Amino acid sequence: MSLAVRDATGADAPAIAAIYHPIVTGTAISFETEPPDQATMAARIDAARKTHAFLVAVADGVVGYAYGSAYRPRAAYATTAETTVYVAADARGKGVGAALYGALLPRLSARGFGQAVAGITLPNPPSIALHVAFGFHRAGVLTAVGKKFDVFHDVALYQRALS
């Protein structure tokens, strides 16, 4: 697969929303319960680009995306970024997540972020493997913190230094 990673734009919102829709409606990977529409996704892209980064992986169309966002709103967390990565179902296991993180993490570091944190709904071995491959370590597990599909889910927190 020929793959390119670039900054996302509002024009990518339909493709990003299409990747995210089945994750929201069919899995507990995301705790959102209603898939965001294209306008909401475009606003999210714009917001992330202003403060962190929002990237897409393209191979004959958008096949994945990753972004950084505020970890928590208080000023003490200003240099910590939360990272998120999603890959289209038919592109998983093909290096898309690695290409996205390979571009996102240095971008966040260059913007002055010192730590990256990711929350991973358990179980999710592929996401854990990706994060470990990029130097994240398990910082802890929040037990039964999210309820989706009438089931409580644990979330593992993974962290790595960016600089």
Side-chain angles (χ1 to χ4, degrees), residues 117-147:
V117 175
I120 302 171
T121 305
L122 299 176
N124 192 336
S127 185
I128 290 170
L130 173 67
H131 286 85
V132 169
F134 276 86
F136 284 77
H137 67 275
R138 190 172 181 151
V141 175
L142 304 172
T143 306
V145 294
K147 186 177 182 185

Side-chain angles (χ1 to χ4, degrees), residues 62-84:
V62 175
V63 294
Y65 65 98
Y67 61 93
S69 59
Y71 172 63
R72 294 200 175 194
R74 292 195 169 93
Y77 297 109
T79 60
T80 299
E82 184 166 358
T83 60
T84 301

Side-chain angles (χ1 to χ4, degrees), residues 1-5 56-64 91 96:
M1 171 187 322
S2 177
L3 192 64
V5 175
V56 290
V58 180
D60 194 28
V62 175
V63 294
V96 175

